[in-house]
Amino acid sequence: MQPPTATYCTPEGDSHAFTVVPDAPRYRTTDGTTSGPSAYVLQAGQIDRDRPSPPKLDAQGEPTALSRLRMHLTGLQDDINSFLTAEMQRAKNKKQKIDDTQEQRATGGSTAA
Amino acid sequence: MDHTLHLHVPFESARLADIAARALAPDPLLRPEELSVSFASDGASLNIKLAAIDARVLRVATNSIFEALKTVVETADELDF
């Protein structure tokens, strides 16, 4: 069974492919880094009662095929979350720059008047 | 809605891919003007297509779908499908 994949396309037509590296640690756990309570909340004493269950193991002690898929999805979810968070920040910075430029123009216009 | 994400999830069988597609599809969209989502099984693969108005909406929706999908996979695993 091949690992899951994803492709993101921007409004500008650029694309970004997400792929799973099965041997990498981030694709060998059901505990994601970008889902669940934040470190701040946990340090404040909250108990994570929705923590994902560990992978199910077969008779040989290896994760079942569906558990491997769940681990792959967890890593892929982290990759996409991190990427889109960076995209959100990039869009925010771009909007801020436009707002600043417009404000400077408006201020410059009123000074000249 | 020009921020798109296509997710391709291979399963062990066409039956499992179909179960996943049918289990995920009924969730209604709260803001259809900001997001569209489709689920389809193609043989042993599940294809999910999302289109959103911006990266923030896409991130929220994608994260939610991943959580639901992982629950479907875990349930199938526990039931030994």
Side-chain angles (χ1 to χ4, degrees):
Chain A
M1 194 164 71
Q2 292 294 311
T5 58
T7 306
Y8 167 70
C9 292
T10 69
E12 293 79 26
D14 300 327
S15 66
H16 184 93
F18 300 90
T19 54
V20 169
V21 182
D23 292 335
R26 63 190 288 109
Y27 305 105
R28 296 182 65 84
T29 178
T30 54
D31 261 332
T33 57
T34 60
S35 51
S38 67
Y40 179 82
V41 169
L42 291 175
Q43 282 168 8
Q46 183 183 336
I47 298 168
D48 185 4
R49 299 187 195 282
D50 290 327
R51 191 171 178 183
S53 62
K56 187 177 174 183
L57 304 179
D58 61 18
Q60 287 73 44
E62 292 295 317
T64 61
L66 286 172
S67 283
R68 276 201 304 277
L69 174 58
R70 192 154 63 92
M71 292 190 286
H72 291 164
L73 288 171
T74 300
L76 196 62
Q77 179 183 18
D78 283 342
D79 292 344
I80 294 171
N81 277 342
S82 299
F83 181 86
L84 290 178
T85 299
E87 279 293 298
M88 288 161 57
Q89 188 62 46
R90 193 178 64 81
K92 186 179 172 184
N93 292 342
K94 189 176 174 183
K95 183 178 182 304
Q96 183 67 49
K97 195 174 176 182
I98 292 169
D99 289 347
D100 287 349
T101 304
Q102 287 176 342
E103 192 176 320
Q104 281 173 0
R105 280 182 187 159
T107 306
S110 63
T111 304
Chain B
M1 291 192 278
D2 41 14
H3 291 259
T4 64
L5 186 83
H6 291 187
L7 186 58
H8 177 76
V9 186
F11 280 85
E12 280 183 299
S13 67
R15 180 169 170 258
L16 266 178
D18 185 52
I19 287 172
R22 287 191 288 126
L24 293 167
D27 283 343
L29 292 175
L30 293 179
R31 297 178 189 276
E33 70 278 10
E34 295 186 356
L35 174 74
S36 71
V37 184
S38 69
F39 303 92
S41 58
D42 178 17
S45 293
L46 169 67
N47 292 311
I48 304 173
K49 294 183 178 181
L50 299 98
I53 57 165
D54 59 25
R56 182 187 63 80
V57 173
L58 186 63
R59 187 192 186 284
V60 171
T62 302
N63 196 54
S64 174
I65 285 170
F66 264 100
E67 290 299 327
L69 177 57
K70 288 191 300 182
T71 300
V72 170
V73 172
E74 183 178 3
T75 303
D77 203 8
E78 289 300 321
L79 295 175
D80 281 331
F81 270 110

Coordinates of all heavy atoms in Angstrom, one line a residue, chain A residues 5-72:
Chain A
T5 N -0.5 11.0 -0.4 CA 0.2 12.2 -0.9 C -0.8 13.4 -0.9 O -2.0 13.2 -0.9 CB 0.7 12.0 -2.3 OG1 -0.4 11.6 -3.2 CG2 1.8 10.9 -2.3
A6 N -0.3 14.6 -1.1 CA -1.2 15.8 -1.2 C -0.5 16.8 -2.1 O 0.7 16.8 -2.2 CB -1.5 16.3 0.2
T7 N -1.3 17.6 -2.7 CA -0.8 18.7 -3.6 C -1.6 20.0 -3.3 O -2.8 20.0 -3.3 CB -0.9 18.4 -5.0 OG1 -0.3 17.1 -5.3 CG2 -0.2 19.4 -5.9
Y8 N -0.9 21.0 -2.9 CA -1.5 22.3 -2.7 C -1.2 23.3 -3.9 O -0.1 23.3 -4.4 CB -0.9 23.0 -1.4 CG -1.2 24.4 -1.2 CD1 -2.5 24.8 -0.9 CD2 -0.3 25.4 -1.3 CE1 -2.9 26.2 -0.8 CE2 -0.6 26.7 -1.1 CZ -1.9 27.1 -0.9 OH -2.2 28.4 -0.7
C9 N -2.2 24.0 -4.4 CA -2.0 24.9 -5.4 C -2.4 26.3 -5.0 O -3.5 26.5 -4.3 CB -2.9 24.5 -6.7 SG -2.3 23.0 -7.5
T10 N -1.6 27.3 -5.3 CA -1.8 28.7 -4.9 C -2.7 29.4 -5.9 O -2.8 28.9 -7.1 CB -0.5 29.4 -4.7 OG1 0.1 29.6 -6.0 CG2 0.5 28.7 -3.8
P11 N -3.2 30.5 -5.6 CA -4.0 31.3 -6.6 C -3.0 31.8 -7.7 O -3.5 32.0 -8.9 CB -4.4 32.5 -5.8 CG -4.4 32.1 -4.4 CD -3.3 31.1 -4.3
E12 N -1.7 31.9 -7.5 CA -0.8 32.3 -8.5 C -0.5 31.1 -9.5 O 0.3 31.3 -10.5 CB 0.5 32.8 -7.9 CG 0.3 34.1 -7.1 CD -0.3 33.9 -5.7 OE1 -0.1 32.8 -5.2 OE2 -0.9 34.9 -5.2
G13 N -0.9 29.9 -9.2 CA -0.7 28.8 -10.0 C 0.5 28.0 -9.6 O 0.8 27.0 -10.2
D14 N 1.2 28.4 -8.5 CA 2.3 27.5 -8.0 C 1.7 26.3 -7.3 O 0.6 26.4 -6.8 CB 3.1 28.3 -7.0 CG 3.8 29.6 -7.7 OD1 4.1 29.5 -8.9 OD2 3.9 30.6 -7.0
S15 N 2.5 25.3 -7.2 CA 2.0 24.1 -6.5 C 3.1 23.6 -5.5 O 4.3 23.8 -5.8 CB 1.5 23.0 -7.4 OG 2.6 22.5 -8.2
H16 N 2.6 22.9 -4.5 CA 3.6 22.3 -3.6 C 3.1 20.9 -3.3 O 1.9 20.7 -2.9 CB 3.6 23.1 -2.3 CG 4.6 22.6 -1.3 ND1 5.9 23.1 -1.2 CD2 4.5 21.7 -0.3 CE1 6.5 22.5 -0.2 NE2 5.7 21.6 0.3
A17 N 4.0 19.9 -3.5 CA 3.6 18.5 -3.3 C 4.1 18.1 -1.9 O 5.2 18.4 -1.4 CB 4.2 17.6 -4.3
F18 N 3.2 17.3 -1.2 CA 3.6 16.8 0.1 C 3.7 15.2 -0.1 O 2.7 14.6 -0.6 CB 2.5 17.1 1.1 CG 2.3 18.5 1.3 CD1 1.3 19.2 0.6 CD2 3.0 19.2 2.3 CE1 1.1 20.6 0.8 CE2 2.8 20.6 2.5 CZ 1.8 21.3 1.7
T19 N 4.8 14.7 0.4 CA 5.0 13.3 0.3 C 5.4 12.7 1.6 O 6.0 13.4 2.4 CB 6.0 12.9 -0.8 OG1 7.2 13.6 -0.5 CG2 5.5 13.2 -2.2
V20 N 5.2 11.4 1.9 CA 5.5 10.8 3.1 C 6.9 10.1 2.9 O 7.1 9.4 1.9 CB 4.4 9.8 3.5 CG1 4.9 8.9 4.6 CG2 3.2 10.5 3.9
V21 N 7.8 10.2 3.9 CA 9.0 9.5 3.9 C 8.8 8.4 5.0 O 8.9 8.7 6.2 CB 10.2 10.4 4.3 CG1 11.5 9.6 4.3 CG2 10.3 11.5 3.3
P22 N 8.4 7.2 4.6 CA 8.0 6.2 5.6 C 8.9 5.9 6.8 O 8.5 5.6 7.9 CB 7.8 4.9 4.8 CG 7.5 5.4 3.4 CD 8.4 6.6 3.3
D23 N 10.2 6.1 6.6 CA 11.2 5.8 7.6 C 11.5 6.9 8.6 O 12.1 6.8 9.6 CB 12.5 5.3 7.0 CG 12.4 3.9 6.4 OD1 11.5 3.2 6.8 OD2 13.2 3.6 5.5
A24 N 11.0 8.1 8.2 CA 11.3 9.3 9.0 C 10.4 9.3 10.3 O 9.3 8.8 10.2 CB 11.0 10.6 8.2
P25 N 11.0 9.7 11.4 CA 10.2 9.6 12.7 C 8.9 10.2 12.7 O 7.9 9.8 13.3 CB 11.2 10.2 13.7 CG 12.5 10.1 13.1 CD 12.3 10.2 11.6
R26 N 8.7 11.4 12.0 CA 7.5 12.1 12.0 C 6.3 11.3 11.3 O 5.2 11.6 11.5 CB 7.6 13.5 11.4 CG 8.0 13.5 9.9 CD 8.3 14.8 9.4 NE 7.2 15.7 9.3 CZ 7.0 16.8 10.0 NH1 7.8 17.1 11.0 NH2 6.0 17.6 9.8
Y27 N 6.7 10.3 10.5 CA 5.7 9.5 9.9 C 5.6 8.1 10.6 O 5.0 7.2 10.0 CB 6.0 9.3 8.4 CG 6.2 10.6 7.7 CD1 7.5 11.0 7.3 CD2 5.1 11.4 7.4 CE1 7.7 12.2 6.7 CE2 5.3 12.6 6.7 CZ 6.6 13.0 6.4 OH 6.8 14.2 5.8
R28 N 6.1 8.0 11.8 CA 6.1 6.7 12.5 C 5.5 6.9 13.9 O 5.9 6.2 14.9 CB 7.5 6.1 12.6 CG 8.1 5.8 11.2 CD 9.5 5.1 11.4 NE 9.4 3.8 12.1 CZ 9.1 2.7 11.5 NH1 8.9 2.7 10.2 NH2 9.1 1.6 12.1
T29 N 4.6 7.9 14.0 CA 3.9 8.1 15.3 C 2.5 8.5 15.0 O 2.2 9.0 13.9 CB 4.6 9.2 16.1 OG1 3.9 9.5 17.3 CG2 4.7 10.5 15.3
T30 N 1.6 8.3 16.0 CA 0.2 8.8 15.9 C 0.0 10.1 16.6 O -1.1 10.6 16.7 CB -0.8 7.7 16.4 OG1 -0.4 7.4 17.8 CG2 -0.8 6.5 15.6
D31 N 1.1 10.5 17.3 CA 1.1 11.8 18.0 C 1.6 12.9 17.1 O 2.8 13.1 16.9 CB 2.0 11.7 19.2 CG 1.2 11.4 20.5 OD1 0.0 11.8 20.6 OD2 1.8 10.8 21.4
G32 N 0.7 13.7 16.6 CA 1.1 14.8 15.8 C 1.7 16.0 16.6 O 1.4 16.1 17.8
T33 N 2.4 16.8 15.9 CA 3.0 18.0 16.6 C 2.1 19.3 16.4 O 2.3 20.2 17.2 CB 4.4 18.3 16.1 OG1 4.3 18.5 14.6 CG2 5.4 17.2 16.4
T34 N 1.2 19.2 15.4 CA 0.4 20.4 15.2 C -1.1 20.2 15.5 O -1.9 21.1 15.2 CB 0.5 20.9 13.7 OG1 0.1 19.8 12.9 CG2 1.9 21.2 13.3
S35 N -1.4 19.1 16.1 CA -2.8 18.8 16.5 C -2.8 18.5 18.0 O -1.7 18.2 18.6 CB -3.4 17.6 15.7 OG -2.5 16.5 15.8
G36 N -3.9 18.6 18.6 CA -4.0 18.5 20.1 C -3.7 19.8 20.8 O -3.4 20.8 20.2
P37 N -3.7 19.7 22.1 CA -3.5 20.9 22.9 C -2.1 21.5 22.7 O -1.2 20.7 22.5 CB -3.7 20.5 24.4 CG -4.3 19.1 24.3 CD -4.0 18.5 23.0
S38 N -2.0 22.8 22.9 CA -0.6 23.4 22.7 C 0.2 23.1 24.0 O -0.3 22.7 25.0 CB -0.8 24.9 22.6 OG -1.3 25.5 23.8
A39 N 1.5 23.3 23.8 CA 2.4 23.1 25.0 C 2.1 24.0 26.1 O 2.1 23.6 27.3 CB 3.9 23.3 24.5
Y40 N 1.6 25.2 25.8 CA 1.3 26.2 26.8 C 0.1 25.7 27.6 O 0.1 25.8 28.9 CB 0.9 27.5 26.1 CG 0.4 28.6 27.1 CD1 1.4 29.4 27.7 CD2 -0.9 28.8 27.3 CE1 1.0 30.4 28.6 CE2 -1.3 29.8 28.2 CZ -0.4 30.6 28.8 OH -0.8 31.6 29.7
V41 N -0.9 25.1 27.0 CA -2.1 24.6 27.7 C -1.7 23.4 28.6 O -2.2 23.3 29.7 CB -3.2 24.2 26.7 CG1 -4.3 23.5 27.3 CG2 -3.8 25.5 26.0
L42 N -0.9 22.6 28.0 CA -0.5 21.4 28.8 C 0.3 21.8 30.0 O 0.2 21.2 31.1 CB 0.3 20.4 27.9 CG -0.5 19.7 26.8 CD1 0.4 18.9 25.9 CD2 -1.6 18.8 27.4
Q43 N 1.2 22.8 29.8 CA 2.0 23.3 31.0 C 1.1 23.9 32.0 O 1.5 23.9 33.2 CB 3.1 24.3 30.5 CG 4.3 23.6 29.8 CD 5.2 24.5 29.1 OE1 5.0 25.7 29.2 NE2 6.2 24.0 28.4
A44 N 0.0 24.4 31.6 CA -0.9 25.0 32.6 C -1.7 24.0 33.4 O -2.5 24.3 34.2 CB -1.9 26.0 31.8
G45 N -1.5 22.7 33.0 CA -2.1 21.6 33.8 C -3.2 20.9 33.1 O -3.8 19.9 33.7
Q46 N -3.6 21.2 31.9 CA -4.7 20.5 31.3 C -4.2 19.1 30.9 O -3.1 18.9 30.5 CB -5.1 21.2 30.0 CG -6.3 20.5 29.3 CD -6.8 21.1 28.0 OE1 -6.5 22.3 27.8 NE2 -7.4 20.3 27.2
I47 N -5.1 18.1 31.1 CA -4.8 16.7 30.7 C -5.4 16.4 29.4 O -6.6 16.7 29.1 CB -5.4 15.7 31.8 CG1 -4.7 16.0 33.1 CG2 -5.1 14.3 31.3 CD1 -5.4 15.3 34.3
D48 N -4.6 15.9 28.4 CA -5.0 15.6 27.1 C -5.8 14.3 27.1 O -5.2 13.2 26.9 CB -3.8 15.6 26.1 CG -4.2 15.4 24.7 OD1 -5.5 15.4 24.4 OD2 -3.4 15.3 23.8
R49 N -7.1 14.4 27.2 CA -8.0 13.2 27.2 C -8.3 12.7 25.8 O -8.8 11.6 25.6 CB -9.3 13.5 28.0 CG -9.0 13.9 29.4 CD -10.3 14.0 30.2 NE -10.2 14.7 31.4 CZ -9.6 14.2 32.5 NH1 -9.2 12.9 32.5 NH2 -9.5 14.9 33.6
D50 N -8.0 13.5 24.8 CA -8.3 13.1 23.4 C -7.0 12.6 22.7 O -7.0 12.6 21.4 CB -8.9 14.3 22.6 CG -10.3 14.6 23.1 OD1 -11.0 13.6 23.5 OD2 -10.7 15.7 23.1
R51 N -6.0 12.3 23.4 CA -4.7 11.9 22.8 C -4.9 10.7 21.9 O -5.6 9.7 22.3 CB -3.7 11.6 23.9 CG -2.3 11.4 23.4 CD -1.3 11.4 24.5 NE 0.0 11.1 24.0 CZ 1.1 11.0 24.7 NH1 1.0 11.0 26.0 NH2 2.3 10.8 24.2
P52 N -4.3 10.7 20.7 CA -4.5 9.5 19.8 C -4.0 8.3 20.4 O -3.0 8.3 21.2 CB -3.7 9.9 18.6 CG -3.5 11.4 18.7 CD -3.5 11.7 20.1
S53 N -4.7 7.2 20.1 CA -4.2 5.9 20.6 C -2.9 5.5 19.9 O -2.7 5.9 18.7 CB -5.3 4.8 20.5 OG -5.5 4.6 19.1
P54 N -2.1 4.7 20.5 CA -0.8 4.3 19.8 C -1.2 3.3 18.6 O -2.3 2.8 18.6 CB 0.0 3.5 20.9 CG -1.0 3.2 21.9 CD -2.1 4.2 21.9
P55 N -0.3 3.1 17.7 CA -0.6 2.2 16.6 C -0.9 0.8 17.1 O -0.3 0.3 18.1 CB 0.7 2.2 15.7 CG 1.7 2.8 16.6 CD 1.1 3.6 17.6
K56 N -1.8 0.1 16.4 CA -2.1 -1.3 16.7 C -1.0 -2.2 16.1 O -0.6 -2.0 14.9 CB -3.5 -1.6 16.1 CG -4.0 -3.0 16.5 CD -5.4 -3.1 15.9 CE -6.0 -4.5 16.1 NZ -7.3 -4.6 15.4
L57 N -0.6 -3.2 16.9 CA 0.5 -4.0 16.4 C -0.1 -5.4 16.0 O -1.0 -5.9 16.6 CB 1.6 -4.2 17.5 CG 2.2 -2.9 18.0 CD1 3.2 -3.2 19.1 CD2 2.8 -2.1 16.9
D58 N 0.6 -6.0 15.0 CA 0.2 -7.4 14.6 C 0.9 -8.4 15.5 O 1.6 -8.1 16.4 CB 0.4 -7.6 13.1 CG 1.8 -7.5 12.7 OD1 2.7 -7.5 13.6 OD2 2.1 -7.2 11.5
A59 N 0.7 -9.7 15.1 CA 1.3 -10.8 15.9 C 2.8 -10.7 15.9 O 3.5 -11.2 16.9 CB 0.9 -12.1 15.3
Q60 N 3.4 -10.1 14.9 CA 4.9 -10.0 14.9 C 5.4 -8.7 15.6 O 6.6 -8.4 15.5 CB 5.4 -9.9 13.4 CG 5.3 -11.3 12.7 CD 3.9 -11.7 12.3 OE1 3.1 -10.9 11.8 NE2 3.6 -13.0 12.6
G61 N 4.5 -8.0 16.1 CA 4.9 -6.7 16.8 C 5.1 -5.5 15.9 O 5.6 -4.5 16.3
E62 N 4.6 -5.7 14.7 CA 4.7 -4.6 13.7 C 3.4 -3.9 13.6 O 2.3 -4.5 13.7 CB 5.1 -5.1 12.3 CG 6.6 -5.7 12.3 CD 7.6 -4.6 12.5 OE1 7.4 -3.5 11.9 OE2 8.6 -4.8 13.2
P63 N 3.4 -2.6 13.3 CA 2.1 -1.9 13.1 C 1.3 -2.5 12.0 O 1.9 -2.9 10.9 CB 2.5 -0.4 12.8 CG 3.9 -0.3 13.2 CD 4.5 -1.7 13.1
T64 N 0.0 -2.6 12.1 CA -0.9 -3.1 11.1 C -0.8 -2.1 9.9 O -0.4 -0.9 10.1 CB -2.3 -3.2 11.6 OG1 -2.8 -1.9 12.0 CG2 -2.4 -4.2 12.7
A65 N -1.3 -2.5 8.8 CA -1.3 -1.6 7.6 C -2.1 -0.3 7.8 O -1.7 0.7 7.4 CB -1.9 -2.4 6.4
L66 N -3.3 -0.5 8.5 CA -4.1 0.7 8.8 C -3.4 1.6 9.8 O -3.6 2.8 9.8 CB -5.5 0.3 9.2 CG -6.4 -0.3 8.1 CD1 -7.7 -0.8 8.6 CD2 -6.7 0.9 7.0
S67 N -2.7 1.0 10.8 CA -2.0 1.9 11.7 C -0.8 2.6 11.0 O -0.6 3.8 11.4 CB -1.4 1.0 12.9 OG -2.4 0.7 13.8
R68 N -0.2 2.0 10.1 CA 0.9 2.7 9.3 C 0.2 3.8 8.5 O 0.8 4.9 8.5 CB 1.6 1.7 8.3 CG 2.7 0.9 9.0 CD 3.6 0.4 7.9 NE 3.0 -0.4 6.9 CZ 2.6 -1.7 7.0 NH1 2.9 -2.4 8.1 NH2 2.0 -2.3 6.0
L69 N -0.9 3.6 8.0 CA -1.6 4.7 7.2 C -2.0 5.8 8.2 O -1.8 7.0 7.9 CB -2.9 4.1 6.6 CG -3.8 5.2 5.9 CD1 -3.1 5.9 4.8 CD2 -5.1 4.5 5.3
R70 N -2.4 5.5 9.4 CA -2.8 6.5 10.4 C -1.5 7.3 10.8 O -1.6 8.5 10.9 CB -3.4 5.9 11.6 CG -4.1 6.9 12.5 CD -5.2 6.2 13.3 NE -4.7 5.1 14.2 CZ -4.4 5.3 15.5 NH1 -4.5 6.5 16.0 NH2 -4.0 4.3 16.2
M71 N -0.4 6.6 10.9 CA 0.9 7.4 11.2 C 1.3 8.2 10.0 O 1.7 9.4 10.2 CB 2.0 6.4 11.6 CG 1.7 5.6 12.9 SD 3.1 4.7 13.5 CE 3.1 3.3 12.4
H72 N 1.2 7.7 8.8 CA 1.5 8.5 7.7 C 0.6 9.8 7.6 O 1.1 10.9 7.3 CB 1.4 7.7 6.4 CG 2.4 6.6 6.3 ND1 2.3 5.5 5.4 CD2 3.6 6.4 6.9 CE1 3.3 4.7 5.5 NE2 4.1 5.2 6.5

